[in-house]
Amino acid sequence: SGSTFVPAVVVGTGYGAAVSALRLGEAGVPTLMLEMGQLWNQPGPDGNVFSGMLKPDKRSSWFKTRTEAPLGSFLWLDLANRDIDPYAGVLDRVNFDQMSVYVGRGVGGGSLVNGGMAVTPRRSYFEEVLPQVDAAEMYAKYFPRANSTLRVNNIDKGWFEQTDWYKFARVSREQASNAGLSTTFVPNVYDWDYMRREADGTVPKSALAAEVIYGNNHGKVSLDKSYLAAALGTGKVTIETLHQVKTIRQQKDGTYLLTVEQKNADGKLLATKEISCRHLFLGAGSLGSTELLLRARDTGTLPNLSSEIGGGWGPNGNIMTARANHMWNPTGTKQSSIPALGIDDWDNKDAPVFAEIAPMPAGVETWVSLYLAITKNPERGTFVYDAAKDRADLRWTREQNAPAVAAAKSLFDRINKANTTIYRYDLFGKQLKAFADDFCYHPLGGCVLGKATDNYGRVAGYKNLYVTDGSLIPGSIGVNPFVTITALAERNVERVIKEDVAKS
Ligand code: FDA
């Protein structure tokens, strides 16, 4: 056939994908990464690679005619969004019927758009969620490996206490404390020393220039600067961008044959390629990897895939909410876009919540305290393949988020009561709404470890086919997920290289 053969293909360039590619490269395995988004290293007309949040342009969004920011409104006015030309921009919002999922597109996946919060889950909850994984080994070996390779670092507490840029966080900490709640500093992959220099005015600003969900021009150690740079450094790994994997089939000799569409950044189809490989690693994220496997199962190109594919999906209990502060309690016109504190009430049996104290870097005083609450919602969704649209559809209803809203409400009701404050109802669209329960940043599940795969991400029913990303985690991890995704990928790929790749 006219296909190109490479020993290993990795689909995607997010956390799971980047870990797999680095370790394959180190093992000497020629590896091709296929990423549907762009490599973000070329400055645009304004001299910046990314467009920023306050004046987003087409670079901000994945093929939209208007940006779709999470905080769509202020006083119910749609102030944040802009009309744009459809383009291979960096942030996608995948809109299902009753849930929208934000994901990163580009070399680095979610690491390009996320807040960089690098949280190791508490061990007891990790053990509850993934009981079949050896937690002792995870916490002794793979979490430390993930944290150091991601270059996770901690904020200088002295600086935190006195800088204007974290006044919003100190205000929220005080109010949490008034309700008897404690906060914790949250590690990050944003270089905190760089941020201090931003504050000193000696380097170009990024976190302190309201940059985050549409990319950071400086300061953030995204995967292209950590795992992927190291992977390319092995000399064994190559990355093809604007290449979207569409179909996967297995050939008679056991190798996999992929059809891949190459487009330009305006979405024009340039070529359809066939690429074959012996070992295939899916790191396209919860939505992407699940969709590829569902399509393969239901169109018959990988007919032996199990009925577990598509199951166990959850939004990590994500609920966004905001409070209105009193006039005498401003949150500041200066706000770093990178969160530094979380309210930790996970031990509360009735309503476990870990709430990131989020900035609202509007450049003007808003008196708003914003939060992304991570709750423990037992509800799960399911992806099904929609043949007519040739895409995975998510079966998840708004009502399934009621337990998550209830938990968040329990926590913030306590904070409001202790501070005689109220919720903001104007930030999440045109209707009166205090809790954003219709979008998430933390999609997890779809190819759950030990169900759709074995205990190391080997896809059930096929040899040499692996899932490496957030789809392995069954819907919830209790904290921001990328450190767990990274550490789990480290654990799995080590085993797979030793047992499957090195011996073949
Ligand atoms: P990830 O989604 O990172 O990567 C998948 C990649 O595959 C993407 O680059 C995609 O373009 C590509 N792809 C998909 N389908 C493909 C196909 N068919 N062919 C080729 N390529 C394909 N987490 C955290 O721990 N701390 C935080 O602070 C935040 N904050 C945050 C903010 C925002 C705005 C978002 C959207 C997300 C976060 N997250 C976060 C979540 C975190 O970014 C997320 O959990 C991880 O990026 C998921 O990693 P994965 O490896 O699963 O895939």
Side-chain angles (χ1 to χ4, degrees):
S1 75
S3 72
T4 319
F5 177 81
V6 277
V9 164
V10 176
V11 183
T13 55
Y15 293 91
V19 170
S20 305
L22 170 58
R23 302 311 172 197
L24 285 163
E26 285 177 341
V29 183
T31 301
L32 173 63
M33 303 186 83
L34 298 169
E35 167 57 53
M36 66 194 273
Q38 303 196 65
L39 174 64
W40 290 95
N41 67 349
Q42 296 299 317
D46 59 355
N48 287 323
V49 172
F50 297 109
S51 72
M53 283 201 300
L54 300 178
K55 281 189 218 148
D57 62 31
K58 69 178 184 180
R59 291 170 291 177
S60 68
S61 308
W62 182 257
F63 294 102
K64 304 278 181 190
T65 53
R66 187 166 175 79
T67 62
E68 296 178 12
L71 290 180
S73 57
F74 193 80
L75 298 173
W76 297 280
L77 295 171
D78 184 0
L79 296 177
N81 289 308
R82 298 279 181 283
D83 289 333
I84 51 171
D85 291 330
Y87 183 72
V90 72
L91 181 68
D92 197 358
R93 173 170 162 140
V94 182
N95 296 313
F96 298 105
D97 184 27
Q98 305 200 24
M99 170 59 73
S100 294
V101 183
Y102 285 96
V103 292
R105 301 270 180 236
V107 174
S111 77
L112 297 166
V113 298
N114 68 32
M117 299 179 77
V119 194
T120 300
R122 63 178 58 195
R123 183 165 163 172
S124 54
Y125 192 57
F126 180 87
E127 289 174 351
E128 189 179 322
V129 172
L130 291 166
Q132 77 276 36
V133 176
D134 180 348
E137 192 185 39
M138 286 298 293
Y139 283 78
K141 195 170 174 187
Y142 301 109
F143 277 116
R145 183 178 294 174
N147 276 293
S148 72
T149 316
L150 290 167
R151 306 223 308 266
V152 174
N153 68 146
N154 294 292
I155 194 167
D156 180 297
K157 291 178 184 154
W159 182 68
F160 172 86
E161 293 303 338
Q162 50 89 33
T163 179
D164 289 347
W165 297 98
Y166 282 107
K167 182 180 169 65
F168 76 94
R170 297 194 301 270
V171 167
S172 273
R173 176 180 62 184
E174 164 96 42
Q175 295 171 338
S177 156
N178 291 340
L181 292 157
S182 59
T183 54
T184 176
F185 283 97
V186 176
N188 207 287
V189 294
Y190 199 94
D191 180 345
W192 297 109
D193 286 333
Y194 185 88
M195 198 191 295
R196 287 182 69 171
R197 283 183 272 138
E198 291 178 46
D200 294 343
T202 58
V203 292
K205 287 187 174 59
S206 181
L208 306 192
E211 290 182 355
V212 60
I213 61 169
Y214 300 135
N216 282 91
N217 285 301
H218 313 279
K220 187 161 76 180
V221 183
S222 44
L223 288 168
D224 49 319
K225 301 184 176 66
S226 60
Y227 270 97
L228 292 168
L232 294 178
T234 66
K236 293 287 181 185
V237 177
T238 52
I239 303 175
E240 292 278 18
T241 59
L242 293 163
H243 279 58
Q244 183 175 15
V245 177
K246 300 297 280 192
T247 68
I248 307 169
R249 68 179 68 240
Q250 193 175 36
Q251 307 186 102
K252 288 212 172 62
D253 63 357
T255 58
Y256 292 95
L257 181 66
L258 310 177
T259 47
V260 185
E261 287 184 352
Q262 180 184 11
K263 295 190 173 162
N264 71 12
D266 295 319
K268 182 169 174 270
L269 185 65
L270 300 179
T272 301
K273 300 180 177 177
E274 294 207 316
I275 297 171
S276 64
C277 62
R278 176 157 297 111
H279 295 279
L280 177 57
F281 295 81
L282 303 182
S286 168
L287 272 49
S289 293
T290 307
E291 178 172 270
L292 284 169
L293 291 177
L294 278 179
R295 180 183 292 130
R297 186 188 68 197
D298 292 6
T299 61
T301 62
L302 295 176
N304 300 334
L305 288 173
S306 90
S307 58
E308 295 282 355
I309 307 280
W313 186 84
N316 202 23
N318 280 190
I319 296 292
M320 208 174 243
T321 189
R323 298 175 35 258
N325 289 296
H326 296 294
M327 298 294 278
W328 61 85
N329 225 352
T331 49
T333 56
K334 290 179 168 178
Q335 299 197 12
S336 170
S337 65
I338 297 296
L341 285 183
I343 301 170
D344 189 354
D345 198 28
W346 197 260
D347 287 330
N348 179 339
K349 288 276 169 296
D350 300 327
V353 179
F354 179 78
E356 134 191 350
I357 297 175
M360 189 149 146
V364 295
E365 181 56 53
T366 63
W367 286 276
V368 169
S369 286
L370 185 67
Y371 307 89
L372 178 65
I374 297 171
T375 64
K376 185 179 170 182
N377 184 354
E379 290 289 331
R380 293 293 173 264
T382 305
F383 288 105
V384 290
Y385 178 67
D386 179 337
K389 293 187 191 134
D390 187 29
R391 73 164 215 171
D393 209 2
L394 179 62
R395 297 256 163 94
W396 169 274
T397 63
R398 276 273 296 287
E399 294 80 76
Q400 287 182 277
N401 243 342
V405 171
K409 186 172 186 306
S410 154
L411 181 110
F412 292 105
D413 279 358
R414 277 175 276 150
I415 295 181
N416 277 334
K417 188 158 181 260
N419 296 282
T420 63
T421 51
I422 59 168
Y423 291 102
R424 291 284 299 226
Y425 294 90
D426 57 324
L427 302 177
F428 308 114
K430 289 196 167 67
Q431 72 288 36
L432 271 175
K433 195 167 181 180
F435 297 94
D437 59 356
D438 56 356
F439 72 81
C440 75
Y441 287 167
H442 300 166
L444 295 172
C447 312
V448 169
L449 191 82
K451 291 190 167 162
T453 75
D454 79 349
N455 196 21
Y456 292 89
R458 297 175 176 109
V459 176
Y462 288 89
K463 262 187 83 174
N464 299 338
L465 177 61
Y466 312 91
V467 170
T468 69
D469 54 34
S471 41
L472 293 171
I473 298 172
S476 165
I477 196 62
V479 293
N480 316 64
F482 75 60
V483 171
T484 307
I485 295 170
T486 305
L488 196 60
E490 287 280 19
R491 165 193 179 268
N492 294 349
V493 77
E494 187 175 274
R495 171 71 63 114
V496 161
I497 287 173
K498 197 164 123 214
E499 291 187 353
D500 303 7
V501 181
K503 286 183 183 148
S504 69

